[in-house]
Every structure is written in structure tokens, then in C-alpha cells.
């Protein structure tokens, strides 16, 4: 490599470094945080009505009767049409296992399960509501979700608070250095905790695998309704937001 080429290469490197340095944008990065606690105004229940019988028609008819009574009981709590939904209907045959003395894969009956979603707006009547639907025919409480119907509005409010918090932090840091902040040029959101809470896993009779009661031998028993006292403390729902913001830093 000649001397002229070497000198030219060094100059190019210094020029590139100077350009890169001039392109570095002075900035201040902060985390904006905010949260709010709100009262729940609705509870979403996931119920199951489970029936069993050796005759699939009998099992289905029994399920329909129980489900009809359940819907009637729910509507007594000022339910709108949109607050009640039949989500799924499953009909599953049950067979003997390999160790059964009658032999393997012998049909012993049918399990009919209807899953119903109900949104209760009268949150002060949760205990009486659960008691009524169980009395009507529900024999499995799959999930209970305590919610606020205006959650999106509160999320927007908390998001605005988080932005203000980020701006205030950045201004405070810059002021201590005798500087000011400019426009934000990086905003990154970090999703907070899910602002609902609930119960899941199921309450009531079942065989532990989430599919309802087992059908043993030739005796098919109706599931026993959950009849223990239920007491709910609704508490508050926490809505929170966290964002990362980078502002220009004016010298």
C-alpha cells in the first residue's frame, strides 16, 4: 500500500468518525408509569350443564331440560339477550378400559355437556345468582371473571397519565442538567398486568380432568350440584400502563 493511499484511508476513517459523531442525537430516555383502581361492574360466569345416560337421546333431553331451567333462572336477574350465550355442546361416548372385566372399548354410556356464558350486571347479587342457577341445573362452575364494562375508557385514561409521567420525568432530568427536552422520537409500550381477575379450574362434580363425571360400570350417576356457600369479595380492578419514551435533549 502506497503512502498516499494510507494517508487517504486515515483521512476517510477520521471523516467517517466525525460524521457518525455529528449524527448522534442527544437524548434522554425515561419510563412513564401510571395506574388506577376501578370498581367492577359485571361478573362473567362460565357454567356447564352435564348429564349422563346409557341412551344418548335421554342424556340430551335431560341436558336440554336442565339448560332451559338454568336460562330461565338467569333471566330473572334482569339479563339482556346479549348477556347469555350457549358456547358449546359436546356429546361424548364413554367406553370401558383395557382392564375392565367386560373387555375393552365396550360402550357404557354418553356424557352430554353444554357450556353457557352468562354476564351478571347486578354484582351485589352474585351469591343468590349462583345458588339459583345451580338449583336450576348447573353442576360445574368453570370460570368466574370479575370485570369492568368500561375498561377501555379507563385504559385510555391511564395511558395518558403514563405519557404525562414520562414527560415530567424527562423534563426533571433535563432541568437538573440545565437543559430542556424536545420532541419524543421513540415510544415503546410495555403491556401491564391483565386488568381482570377471576377463578378458573372449575367448581362442582367432575372426574378431575375437566370433562365432567366419569361413567363407571353400568351405573351412570347424575352429577351432584355444588351446594357449598359462596361468598365473593369483589375488591378493585387495577389498570396499569408502562411506556418507554426517548426525548430529544436540547443543549
Amino acid at each position: 500500500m502506497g503512502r498516499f493511499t494510507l494517508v487517504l484511508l486515515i483521512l476517510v476513517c477520521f471523516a467517517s468518525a466525525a460524521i457518525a459523531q455529528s449524527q448522534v442525537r442527544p437524548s434522554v430516555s425515561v419510563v412513564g408509569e401510571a395506574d388506577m383502581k376501578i370498581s367492577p361492574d359485571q361478573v362473567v360466569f362460565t357454567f356447564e350443564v352435564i348429564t349422563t345416560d346409557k341412551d344418548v337421546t335421554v342424556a340430551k333431553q335431560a341436558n336440554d331440560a336442565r339448560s332451559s331451567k338454568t336460562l330461565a333462572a338467569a333471566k330473572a336477574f334482569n339479563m339482556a339477550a346479549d348477556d347469555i350465550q350457549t358456547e358449546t355442546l359436546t356429546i361424548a361416548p364413554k367406553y370401558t378400559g383395557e382392564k375392565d372385566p367386560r373387555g375393552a372399548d365396550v360402550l357404557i354410556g354418553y356424557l352430554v355437556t353444554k357450556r353457557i356464558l352468562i354476564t351478571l350486571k347486578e354484582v351485589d347479587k352474585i351469591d343468590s345468582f349462583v345458588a339459583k342457577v345451580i338449583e336450576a341445573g348447573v353442576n360445574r362452575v368453570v370460570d368466574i371473571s370479575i370485570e369492568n364494562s368500561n375498561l377501555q375508557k379507563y385504559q385510555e385514561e391511564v395511558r395518558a397519565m403514563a405519557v404525562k409521567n414520562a414527560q415530567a420525568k424527562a423534563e426533571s432530568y433535563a432541568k437538573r442538567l440545565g437543559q430542556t427536552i424536545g420532541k419524543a422520537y421513540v415510544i415503546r409500550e410495555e403491556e401491564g398486568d391483565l386488568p381482570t381477575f377471576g377463578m378458573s379450574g372449575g367448581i362442582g362434580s367432575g372426574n378431575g380432568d375437566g370433562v365432567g363425571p366419569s361413567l363407571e360400570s353400568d351405573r351412570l350417576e347424575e352429577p351432584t350440584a355444588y351446594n357449598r356457600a359462596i361468598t365473593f369479595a369483589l375488591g378493585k380492578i387495577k389498570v396499569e400502563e408502562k411506556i418507554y419514551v426517548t426525548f430529544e435533549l436540547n443543549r
Side-chain angles (χ1 to χ4, degrees), residues 19-234:
I19 293 173
Q21 185 174 5
S22 67
Q23 290 179 341
V24 173
R25 181 181 297 182
S27 62
V28 54
S29 298
V30 294
V31 179
E33 298 177 283
D35 64 72
M36 175 190 297
K37 290 185 178 180
I38 60 177
S39 299
D41 64 358
Q42 65 181 30
V43 183
V44 180
F45 293 90
T46 303
F47 294 127
E48 283 184 347
V49 176
I50 306 168
T51 53
T52 63
D53 198 273
K54 290 182 178 180
D55 188 323
V56 64
T57 302
V58 173
K60 176 64 167 56
Q61 290 174 344
N63 195 285
D64 290 342
R66 283 192 174 209
S67 298
S68 179
K69 291 180 180 178
T70 298
L71 297 181
K75 289 176 181 178
F77 287 81
N78 298 320
M79 293 284 176
D82 293 342
D83 293 335
I84 303 176
Q85 176 186 352
T86 301
E87 186 181 42
T88 59
L89 169 66
T90 59
I91 301 175
K94 289 292 182 178
Y95 299 92
T96 55
E98 294 181 358
K99 297 182 179 180
D100 194 288
R102 292 167 296 181
D105 299 325
V106 176
L107 180 65
I108 58 176
Y110 292 88
L111 179 71
V112 179
T113 304
K114 189 172 291 181
R115 178 166 290 193
I116 304 171
L117 305 183
I118 300 178
T119 301
L120 176 68
K121 300 293 180 63
E122 297 179 318
V123 295
D124 58 329
K125 298 181 179 179
I126 294 179
D127 289 319
S128 58
F129 171 74
V130 173
K132 288 294 184 182
V133 294
I134 288 178
E135 180 182 349
V138 166
N139 37 30
R140 186 171 178 82
V141 182
V142 179
D143 184 73
I144 302 174
S145 179
I146 301 173
E147 304 174 354
N148 185 289
S149 58
N150 295 312
L151 180 61
Q152 185 174 354
K153 182 190 76 170
Y154 293 114
Q155 286 177 322
E156 290 294 336
E157 292 180 11
V158 173
R159 191 169 293 124
M161 292 164 56
V163 170
K164 288 184 178 179
N165 179 253
Q167 186 175 10
K169 282 184 178 180
E171 290 174 344
S172 177
Y173 291 141
K175 184 178 180 180
R176 292 177 184 276
L177 297 172
Q179 296 175 272
T180 59
I181 63 170
K183 295 181 178 180
Y185 62 90
V186 174
I187 301 176
R188 182 167 61 86
E189 182 183 62
E190 177 177 280
E191 187 174 349
D193 294 335
L194 186 65
T196 60
F197 58 97
M199 300 169 56
S200 61
I203 302 173
S205 61
N207 59 7
D209 58 4
V211 297
S214 60
L215 308 181
E216 299 178 356
S217 187
D218 292 323
R219 188 167 60 92
L220 307 180
E221 296 183 352
E222 284 292 308
T224 302
Y226 179 75
N227 56 13
R228 287 176 288 171
I230 303 174
T231 302
F232 292 90
L234 295 179

